[in-house]
Amino acid sequence: VTRTDPSPVRIERDGVVATVVIDRPKALNALSPDVLRAVAGAFDQLAAEGDAVRGVIVVGEGGRAFVAGADIRSLSELTPEEGAEAARLGHRVAAAIEAFPAPVIACVDGFALGGGLELALACDLIYATDASAFGQPEVRLGLIPGFGGTVRLPRAVGLPLAKELIYTGRRIDAAEAERAGLVARRFADREALLAGARATIAEVAENAWTAVALAKRVLVQAAGTPTATASELEVAGFEDAFRTEDMHEGVAAFLEKRDPRFAGR
Ligand code: HXC
């Protein structure tokens, strides 16, 4: 009898909230190629649900780690070209998260290191418990960040601190990560963390889904582009908002002093 391994990634649903659980606790949820493909697959599957999903939580199983990085074992015997392919796979996951039309919240409880921090950085927000630790330790392995750390960490914390973290490989705790702007909100424990993320998604879900998706599109596309390009992207998104029923409903509801009834189109 052959037994198929249980998937290292599962989706849990609770109303408009979807949770993507990375479930490889024995390896501190390290991102093997299988895990990365499963994470991308989960986002593709959830994207097909349209406005039924108003926000996604990404969380690690086991209580010790969000994700302790790329799977070091699966990197050990790669050729340079295969190494580049491994990095591209991580970037494809980040692209799937950034293309997802609703906010994605990384809920970090424990280690978010290397590819784990990079996965969190691809999400819209990072919420964390006090027991969390963040770092890009790749140089300690003779590597550099490969899933977007050199791209998104400087945007999150500024270039000087990003350089310090990447050159030293040192870890920072949740309090320092919050002060640096990496962590948007800090919680005492995992239960409060998940409740906080669900509350944020519920708050977002009150708004026009179309508008939230347009705002995310503009924020993601404009990141790192020159002011003039970013401004044009914003104008294009603003124009697209006028093409939605939701915009006309939202404005009419305000003028008629009533609550809006958004249709999500
Ligand atoms: C594979 C990992 C792993 C990883 C932990 N494990 N991190 N396996 N890849 N990234 C495994 C350990 O081998 C061990 O397995 C089990 O998880 C528990 O880990 P321990 O080290 O025993 O736990 P502890 O002593 O508490 O230390 C926790 C830790 C440490 C500080 C998080 O595990 C650690 O430093 N991990 C590596 C972190 C790291 O360097 N990440 C960056 C990876 S490179 P066994 O079988 O022994 O129980 C990267 C590059 C991205 O992310 C770009 C690539 C293209």
Side-chain angles (χ1 to χ4, degrees):
V1 181
T2 50
R3 202 174 63 88
T4 47
D5 279 341
S7 171
V9 172
R10 67 172 189 277
I11 299 173
E12 295 173 355
R13 291 298 307 274
D14 177 12
V16 296
V17 180
T19 303
V20 173
V21 184
I22 301 173
D23 186 8
R24 242 196 120 198
K26 284 190 183 129
L28 302 184
N29 303 320
L31 301 171
S32 64
D34 282 351
V35 176
L36 287 169
R37 279 188 281 268
V39 173
F43 277 93
D44 291 344
Q45 190 181 325
L46 290 171
E49 292 195 40
D51 71 352
V53 180
R54 298 304 188 91
V56 179
I57 291 169
V58 182
V59 73
E61 190 61 88
R64 288 199 58 216
F66 173 69
V67 166
D71 187 85
I72 296 171
R73 203 171 302 276
S74 64
L75 294 176
S76 63
E77 283 169 6
L78 301 184
T79 65
E81 293 73 19
E82 289 166 343
E85 248 336 285
R88 281 200 190 90
L89 179 57
H91 283 278
R92 279 207 290 282
V93 173
I97 293 171
E98 291 189 334
F100 190 78
V104 179
I105 305 179
C107 282
V108 175
D109 180 26
F111 295 111
L113 301 177
L117 175 52
E118 294 169 301
L119 176 66
L121 284 163
C123 299
D124 292 283
L125 290 175
I126 304 177
Y127 284 3
T129 65
D130 289 329
S132 299
F134 302 83
Q136 299 279 176
E138 285 89 345
V139 293
R140 297 183 181 189
L141 300 167
L143 282 168
I144 70 164
F147 294 169
T150 66
V151 181
R152 292 185 187 83
L153 188 61
R155 288 182 194 154
V157 304
L159 194 53
L161 179 59
K163 283 178 167 174
E164 194 208 54
L165 293 175
I166 290 170
Y167 297 159
T168 63
R170 82 174 170 96
R171 297 205 287 258
I172 57 174
D173 64 14
E176 186 173 354
E178 187 183 40
R179 282 196 301 277
L182 179 63
V183 164
R185 241 193 260 185
R186 197 153 54 86
F187 299 86
D189 57 34
R190 189 179 183 91
E191 198 183 333
L193 168 74
L194 294 172
R198 281 194 291 267
T200 296
I201 293 171
E203 198 178 338
V204 171
E206 301 278 305
N207 303 321
W209 179 73
T210 47
V212 174
L214 283 170
K216 176 167 175 175
R217 184 188 86 189
V218 172
L219 284 159
V220 166
Q221 288 181 344
T225 67
T227 303
T229 313
S231 301
E232 270 316 305
L233 288 165
E234 187 184 73
V235 169
F238 195 77
E239 179 179 336
D240 285 343
F242 281 77
R243 297 197 170 91
T244 65
E245 278 177 36
D246 285 345
M247 177 268 180
H248 297 284
E249 166 62 11
V251 170
F254 177 83
L255 296 175
E256 292 162 19
K257 300 187 189 297
R258 61 173 175 82
D259 288 336
R261 289 180 300 272
F262 292 121
R265 55 182 180 265

